[in-house]
């Protein structure tokens, strides 16, 4: 049990006073220790004593992934290397990765955050937890690993990859909790079914999923396949890794570790602050980090905040499940489309499996979207009328939700790619993104 009651149920006024004190500390610390921030804060005319309230944060210029890349690898570190005890890096697909450094103190607080959220999700010292994130530069595996050890759970660091072996450990160890991306949890369930051991040989009761989005529809599929209770946790390497926010057993939003991270929601185009309940880009300022402090980091993730206390008793702000990334949002013929909207239409449709791919093309001057969906039973492909009916149903439902027409292709079972880490279901063939 890792419940930091004093902090997790603190009243807002006290919490905000703590945040203000830590924000001032962070601004001053960045100014004195990171030349990039000295320059930036001088240009903006901001010093720690000019910050009188939390809303004064708007005078601080945001930090971007490009700033981290421009200062690759260690340029934004605020401590000399002899005090940095761990390095991670983001899995950036283009350009240089972003590199993160942690002091001993940062690692302690990181495992506290994860322990707190894992406890809120229902993990205990009695759990045997299999970590099926890839160990390595990715923050997911080691982040969960130390947080779960802190609560006394038995950690099985089997990493991602050899799925059959992972399933063997799961059966033999009577693993009770699984840490994975939702897409890998789904793939593992599919493989388990193929191996034909009775599902009663598996003892999973809890899924600590995260690192990518998952619609409620997809979550239900995973829960049904495994017979477990799935929770979502959010984070990013630049900020720390997993442990920034996570669901409790109420699953009514992700509790933010607000004493360590200060969230804001802004309009992604104008950076104007948005009010409670409005969807926008999440900016996060670290409040205690020593190795790589960040001021108003642009996460590019679209979500909203809810300041009402949760039924579980925790008072910290909750963020909605991430709706999508502003840079993953597809613009099709002028209409904004989030892959999660498509997923919620597809997953759960009868005769359709939870695997899909989105192909975007430019034909002439118009963008087109093809949605490829796997059938559960391939023999349906021989039944023209049935296929036609299913095809029209999906096309109609997609049009209702997205407001645009798209091409729907029903494909053979198991013909689309499976993922052991984060899923990459978008194939954008337009050359350059609009
Ligand atoms: O994915 C950290 C993490 C590991 C979080 C394990 C949770 C569990 P990055 O690889 O830097 O770090 O990717 C960060 O992944 O900006 C989001 O776009 C996305 N993301 C992370 N968690 C969620 C989630 C880790 N629960 C990027 N739901 C973030 C939706 C998520 N998207």
């Amino acid at each position: 049990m890792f419940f930091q009651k004093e902090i997790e149920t603190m009243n807002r006024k006290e919490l905000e006073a703590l945040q203000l004190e830590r924000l001032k500390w962070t601004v001053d610390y960045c100014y004195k220790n990171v030349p990039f921030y000295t320059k930036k804060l001088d240009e903006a005319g901001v010093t720690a004593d000019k910050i009188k309230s939390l809303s004064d944060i708007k005078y601080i210029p945001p930090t971007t992934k490009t700033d981290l890349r421009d200062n690759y690898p260690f340029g934004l570190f605020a401590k000399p290397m002899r005090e940095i005890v761990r390095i991670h890096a983001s899995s950036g697909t283009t350009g240089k990765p972003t590199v993160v450094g942690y002091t001993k103190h940062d690692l302690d607080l990181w495992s506290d955050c994860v322990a707190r959220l894992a406890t809120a999700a229902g993990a205990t010292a009695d759990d045997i937890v299999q970590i099926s994130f890839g160990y390595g530069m990715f923050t997911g595996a080691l982040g969960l690993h130390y947080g779960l050890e802190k609560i006394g759970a038995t950690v099985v660091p089997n990493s991602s990859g050899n799925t059959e072996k992972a399933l063997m450990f799961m059966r033999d160890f009577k693993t009770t909790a699984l840490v994975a991306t939702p897409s890998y949890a789904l793939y593992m369930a599919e493989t388990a079914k193929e191996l034909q051991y009775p599902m009663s040989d598996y003892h999973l009761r809890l899924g600590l999923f995260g690192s990518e989005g998952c619609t409620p529809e997809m979550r239900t599929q995973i829960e049904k396949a495994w017979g477990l209770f799935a929770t979502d946790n959010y984070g990013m390497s630049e900020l720390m890794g997993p442990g920034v926010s996570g669901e409790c057993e109420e699953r009514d939003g992700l509790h933010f570790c607000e004493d360590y991270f200060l969230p804001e929601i802004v309009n992604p185009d104008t950076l104007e602050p948005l009010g409670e309940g409005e969807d926008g880009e999440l900016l996060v300022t670290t409040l205690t980090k020593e190795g790589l402090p960040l001021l108003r980091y642009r996460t590019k993730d679209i979500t909203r905040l809810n300041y009402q206390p949760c039924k579980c008793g925790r008072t910290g702000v909750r963020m909605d499940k991430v709706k999508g990334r502003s840079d993953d949002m597809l613009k099709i013929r002028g209409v904004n489309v989030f892959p999660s909207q498509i997923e919620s239409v597809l997953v759960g449709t009868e005769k359709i499996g939870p695997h899909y791919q989105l192909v975007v093309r430019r034909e002439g001057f118009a963008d087109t979207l093809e949605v490829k969906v796997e059938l559960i039973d391939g023999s349906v492909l021989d039944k023209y009328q049935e296929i036609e009916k299913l095809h029209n149903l999906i096309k109609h439902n997609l049009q209702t939700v997205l407001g645009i027409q798209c091409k729907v292709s029903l494909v053979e079972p198991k013909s689309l790619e499976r993922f052991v880490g984060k899923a990459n279901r978008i194939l954008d063939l337009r050359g350059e993104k609009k």
Side-chain angles (χ1 to χ4, degrees), residues 133 138 140 211-213 232-237 301 322 325 422:
F133 282 140
F138 176 55
S211 187
E212 66 179 9
D232 185 10
N233 78 85
Y234 167 87
M236 68 194 315
S237 25
D301 293 318
V322 174
R325 288 182 59 80
K422 290 181 198 249

Side-chain angles (χ1 to χ4, degrees), residues 68-77 87-88 96-101 292:
L68 280 165
R69 287 208 173 116
D70 290 348
N71 290 282
Y72 175 87
F74 308 141
L76 296 192
F77 286 13
I87 298 237
H88 280 283
K96 292 274 192 196
T98 47
V99 179
V100 196
L292 180 70

Side-chain angles (χ1 to χ4, degrees), residues 65 89-92 98 133 138-141 144 179-182 208-214 232-245 254 297 299-302 319 321-325 327-328 422:
K65 205 179 189 76
S90 79
S91 48
T98 47
F133 282 140
F138 176 55
T139 53
L144 265 300
V179 169
T181 56
L208 298 168
F209 301 137
S211 187
E212 66 179 9
C214 175
D232 185 10
N233 78 85
Y234 167 87
M236 68 194 315
S237 25
E238 294 90 314
L239 295 173
M240 180 172 77
V244 174
S245 68
L254 287 79
Y297 189 66
T299 65
K300 300 279 177 119
D301 293 318
I302 305 294
M319 67 178 238
K321 276 177 155 303
V322 174
K323 192 167 176 194
R325 288 182 59 80
D327 47 11
D328 261 4
K422 290 181 198 249

Side-chain angles (χ1 to χ4, degrees), residues 333-354:
R333 301 191 292 277
V335 176
N336 296 343
V337 173
F338 280 107
S340 59
Q341 294 174 292
I342 300 178
E343 182 175 300
S344 64
V345 170
L346 299 178
V347 178
T349 300
E350 236 187 299
K351 302 194 173 108
I352 290 297

